[in-house]
Amino acid sequence: MSILILAEHDNISLKEITLTAVSAASQIGGDIDLLVAGENCHAVAEMAAKVSGVNRVRVADHACYKGLLAENITALIKSLSNDYSHIMAPATTNGKNILPRVAAALDVSHFSEIISVESADTFKRTIYAGNAIATVQSDDPIKVITVRGTAFELSEMNGSATIEVLTEVHDLGLSSFVSENVAVSERPELTSAGIVISGGRGMQNGENFSMLEKVADKLGAAVGASRAAVDAGFVPNDMQVGQTGKIVAPDLYIAVGISGAIQHLAGMKDSKVIVAINKDPDAPIHQVADYGLVADLFDAVPELEQSL
Amino acid sequence: MKILVMVKRVTDPNVTVRVNADNSAVDLNNVKMAINPFCEIAVEEAVRLKEAGIASEVIALSIGASQSQEQLRTALAVGADRAILIEADSTLEPIAVAKLASKVIEEEQPGLVILGKQSIDTDNSQTGQMLASIMGWSQGTFASKVDIEGDKLNITREVDTGLQSLSLKLPAVVTCDLRLNEPRFASLPNIMKAKRKPLEIKAAEEYGIDLTSRINMLKVEEPSARQSGEILSSVSELVEKLKTEKGVI
Ligand SMILES: Cc1cc2nc3c(=O)[nH]c(=O)nc-3n(C[C@H](O)[C@H](O)[C@H](O)COP(=O)(O)OP(=O)(O)OC[C@H]3O[C@@H](n4cnc5c(N)ncnc54)[C@H](O)[C@@H]3O)c2cc1C
Ligand SMILES: Nc1ncnc2c1ncn2[C@@H]1O[C@H](COP(=O)(O)O)[C@@H](O)[C@H]1O
């Protein structure tokens, strides 16, 4: 068996979530190659070479891979696919955008967002907003898989893979990168933070999120949000936690002014400890919380901040 | 330009489903069904493009059980011009759905295909990308803004790091995220009118495509339930418990 993993990065550094896909691949077994595609991404390749368990880093560095355009990256991966039994990526928006396209290009099915590896051809994944877990198997010659980051450990960084430069360029000219509006934050990334504090519609407006930010800064936490808070324009889309947003599983998740709809729970119910601050004692979030505070958030959150 | 919009019948987003007794599937008996919320957004976008004079015709396509006609009627009631149902097993995999859709594209020659970003039942998020791949077209997934200018489609995508803007060559496949638009409600007169709009029914077998499942569902389980917790009376009690009982802060 041999496995190709599409690395997640920003052309400067390798994203930690890549390491979860590597550890899922290690459970499958066989040789693991990492594909680093991007523009001026050699620093990423150097980092990728240090990931434990990786044999070879294959680097495709060209302007046409900027923004990881699905059309070009798929053509690139397809050109390498003969060497592999599995093609994988972390289930980021890049992985989710590109890998189904790869699967169809290879005329195989696709496993989205697996949460466990049972064997080389059998995996588990959640369906129905996490209300059911399916065990799925396929005999396809190449398995194309995205991996849910929160379900796997990070592989270590004491490897020494070889770096191979890929020179053939796959520029289909179907799409072009225009710009990226990257949200900048000093706080840890939502999907890898040890503590997450999220706000919902109960926050009332974007300014009030500064209350959560103050708590976050004291705890070294990331700040998230419900869909209602994002839809209302309180905060940007990259903060949405849930079935159709980001999946998080920190040691501590604090839900503030969030009712606990199934779509929100789907994104956070694997957190180790859940705290709910909600003035409605009947809000469903209290049923999944380890600790609930039935309180007005405008009193409780500042008090929490003071007591840290 | 014609627009093809894909509509899927799924469980209502407000119901919590249960796994059946023999752990073979989710129990869908007597479960309320609805149009996939992301498909409502897809239909709305197509209709708006028609209202803006960019699209000439909006065709809604569903692949699945005969009852999917209900969801197609919903699409017709909010402004789609006609509908096509390809009757098939409702558990068809995205690769098969995408292949059938590619045949409809060959027949209808749309300039743009709009889908939802994700089915809320299977949570796959695959069909649009697969369809674009099969057609060899450009793809714009997770769209929160779409603008058509001549033979180019400018798209803003919701990505993990924020927003990404791309320019796609038409024809293209677009999949919608939640914030692309706010779907309208169908008015009663439009619901009545929709009953008279054309809805063509075809059988999946007519297309000569291999529809056999490649993915075997070996087992379906309920996730482990969370222990119910306790309601605390004060912030200081909370901080104390987080420090001493759980050791998380
Ligand atoms: C297809 C689809 C996908 C979806 N995807 C997602 C997703 O990924 N993520 C997601 O989060 N949602 C998602 N949703 C939306 C979800 O169904 C809910 O509508 C949403 O999560 C509600 O957000 P909320 O809890 O912030 O708001 P509400 O449900 O309005 O809850 C607000 C809560 O705040 C409490 N509150 C108000 N004021 C105060 C106060 N002063 N002090 C304390 N408490 C207060 C209230 O008691 C209430 O419980 C999706 C829905 C659909 C249909
Ligand atoms: N059986 C189907 N019939 C019509 N459209 C579908 C079907 N399956 C998927 N789609 C479309 O593809 C989108 C994404 O679905 P999925 O890939 O299953 O998550 C949906 O929102 C629909 O627009």
Side-chain angles (χ1 to χ4, degrees):
Chain A
M1 262 174 309
S2 65
I3 303 175
L4 181 70
I5 300 174
L6 177 65
E8 183 76 28
H9 65 85
D10 57 5
N11 291 312
I12 298 162
S13 62
L14 185 73
K15 293 276 173 83
E16 207 173 57
I17 197 160
T18 309
L19 306 182
T20 64
V22 173
S23 90
S26 312
Q27 292 181 23
I28 293 170
D31 290 342
I32 300 173
D33 289 352
L34 269 179
L35 173 61
V36 175
E39 190 189 28
N40 297 327
C41 55
H42 275 280
V44 180
E46 301 288 335
M47 256 178 101
K50 298 198 174 72
V51 180
S52 306
V54 174
N55 263 28
R56 178 170 55 161
V57 175
R58 310 184 81 172
V59 193
D61 193 333
H62 192 273
C64 76
Y65 302 130
K66 188 174 182 173
L68 287 188
L69 299 171
E71 301 82 356
N72 296 347
I73 302 293
T74 299
L76 169 66
I77 294 178
K78 191 180 177 198
S79 75
L80 306 172
S81 62
N82 281 338
D83 299 344
Y84 299 100
S85 58
H86 295 72
I87 295 172
M88 302 172 72
T92 56
T93 44
N94 283 321
K96 291 177 185 177
N97 183 37
I98 296 163
L99 260 57
R101 189 173 178 112
V102 170
L106 301 173
D107 193 17
V108 297
S109 54
H110 173 47
F111 296 99
S112 306
E113 258 195 291
I114 62 162
I115 58 165
S116 90
V117 172
E118 303 295 300
S119 74
D121 67 2
T122 307
F123 312 95
K124 287 190 180 183
R125 56 181 302 268
T126 65
I127 52 177
Y128 290 89
N131 286 303
I133 297 171
T135 305
V136 283
Q137 181 271 342
S138 117
D139 295 324
D140 277 332
I142 302 182
K143 273 71 170 172
V144 179
I145 302 165
T146 55
V147 176
R148 179 171 292 181
T150 54
F152 295 89
E153 300 289 315
L154 301 178
S155 63
E156 289 178 31
M157 292 290 291
N158 50 22
S160 56
T162 56
I163 296 181
E164 176 201 9
V165 176
L166 300 166
T167 48
E168 201 186 327
V169 173
H170 298 268
D171 187 0
L172 272 50
L174 289 170
S175 60
S176 53
F177 176 84
V178 177
S179 64
E180 197 148 62
N181 200 337
V182 178
V184 276
S185 165
E186 299 291 297
R187 296 188 190 86
E189 261 183 62
L190 197 49
T191 50
S192 55
I195 302 180
V196 173
I197 179 163
S198 291
R201 199 196 309 272
M203 297 303 298
Q204 290 178 5
N205 57 45
E207 290 75 64
N208 289 336
F209 266 75
S210 65
M211 297 193 313
L212 305 186
E213 287 163 4
K214 284 184 196 150
V215 175
D217 290 340
K218 286 202 168 164
L219 292 172
V223 181
S226 71
R227 173 190 171 182
V230 178
D231 282 4
F234 301 172
V235 290
N237 64 283
D238 53 280
M239 285 169 65
Q240 182 177 315
V241 170
Q243 179 188 19
T244 57
K246 288 182 180 163
I247 308 286
V248 303
D251 292 332
L252 173 61
Y253 187 86
I254 309 175
V256 182
I258 291 178
S259 61
I262 45 176
Q263 293 87 2
H264 188 78
L265 301 184
M268 45 62 81
K269 70 179 177 189
D270 291 330
S271 304
K272 268 201 202 101
V273 178
I274 297 174
V275 170
I277 301 177
N278 192 309
K279 65 181 179 188
D280 176 5
D282 297 324
I285 191 76
H286 285 304
Q287 284 153 29
V288 298
D290 295 273
Y291 301 123
L293 268 186
V294 179
D296 190 314
L297 70 91
F298 294 100
D299 300 327
V301 175
E303 196 185 333
L304 176 63
E305 195 234 329
Q306 289 302 313
S307 53
L308 292 170
Chain B
M1 173 175 81
K2 285 194 209 173
I3 297 182
L4 183 71
V5 46
M6 293 193 58
V7 170
K8 188 178 175 191
R9 174 184 172 88
V10 297
T11 49
D12 184 286
N14 298 313
V15 300
T16 305
V17 297
R18 297 259 165 267
V19 172
N20 67 9
D22 65 0
N23 285 109
S24 61
V26 163
D27 187 358
L28 295 180
N29 282 318
N30 302 319
V31 171
K32 188 170 167 215
M33 303 295 281
I35 180 171
N36 187 42
F38 290 100
C39 299
E40 270 185 295
I41 299 171
V43 175
E44 176 68 32
E45 197 63 19
V47 171
R48 288 188 190 185
L49 287 167
K50 186 178 172 196
E51 288 168 348
I54 291 165
S56 53
E57 189 184 27
V58 175
I59 308 162
L61 168 67
S62 192
I63 299 172
S66 167
Q67 296 92 315
S68 307
Q69 286 178 61
E70 293 165 22
Q71 283 64 47
L72 287 172
R73 291 286 171 205
T74 307
L76 293 169
V78 292
D81 297 295
R82 61 189 169 92
I84 302 170
L85 169 64
I86 302 181
E87 274 196 330
D89 188 338
S90 58
T91 59
L92 276 193
E93 287 163 16
I95 184 87
V97 170
K99 283 181 182 176
L100 285 169
S102 74
K103 294 293 171 192
V104 175
I105 292 175
E106 280 171 22
E107 287 167 15
E108 298 286 351
Q109 301 283 321
L112 174 64
V113 184
I114 311 182
L115 303 87
K117 85 159 177 180
Q118 174 176 343
S119 305
I120 60 153
D121 52 359
T122 53
D123 281 338
N124 276 324
S125 197
Q126 301 178 7
T127 310
Q129 299 88 313
M130 287 184 160
L131 181 57
S133 185
I134 292 166
M135 298 304 302
W137 289 6
S138 61
Q139 76 183 47
T141 52
F142 325 140
S144 65
K145 192 166 183 291
V146 168
D147 251 327
I148 293 179
E149 259 182 41
D151 64 347
K152 290 269 189 294
L153 185 149
N154 301 317
I155 182 173
T156 305
R157 306 178 53 231
E158 292 202 356
V159 295
D160 289 342
T161 45
L163 296 170
Q164 185 194 51
S165 300
L166 301 179
S167 168
L168 310 180
K169 224 183 191 167
L170 287 169
V173 173
V174 165
T175 79
C176 312
D177 216 314
L178 294 167
R179 283 162 284 273
L180 181 59
N181 60 49
E182 226 175 286
R184 70 193 71 184
F185 290 101
S187 67
L188 198 56
N190 285 341
I191 293 173
M192 299 311 289
K193 255 200 267 169
K195 292 189 175 152
R196 293 191 304 272
K197 289 187 179 175
L199 193 167
E200 187 184 357
I201 301 181
K202 301 201 167 184
E205 294 71 33
E206 281 175 37
Y207 293 89
I209 287 168
D210 177 12
L211 302 172
T212 42
S213 315
R214 278 87 170 294
I215 293 187
N216 304 312
M217 188 89 101
L218 303 181
K219 188 163 73 178
V220 180
E221 303 158 274
E222 301 261 342
S224 48
R226 282 192 81 92
Q227 301 280 337
S228 64
E230 48 184 324
I231 297 286
L232 307 179
S233 58
S234 70
V235 170
S236 54
E237 194 186 356
L238 172 66
V239 172
E240 185 56 29
K241 296 238 182 202
L242 292 176
K243 279 191 177 146
T244 56
E245 267 181 29
K246 302 287 184 185
V248 286
I249 60 171

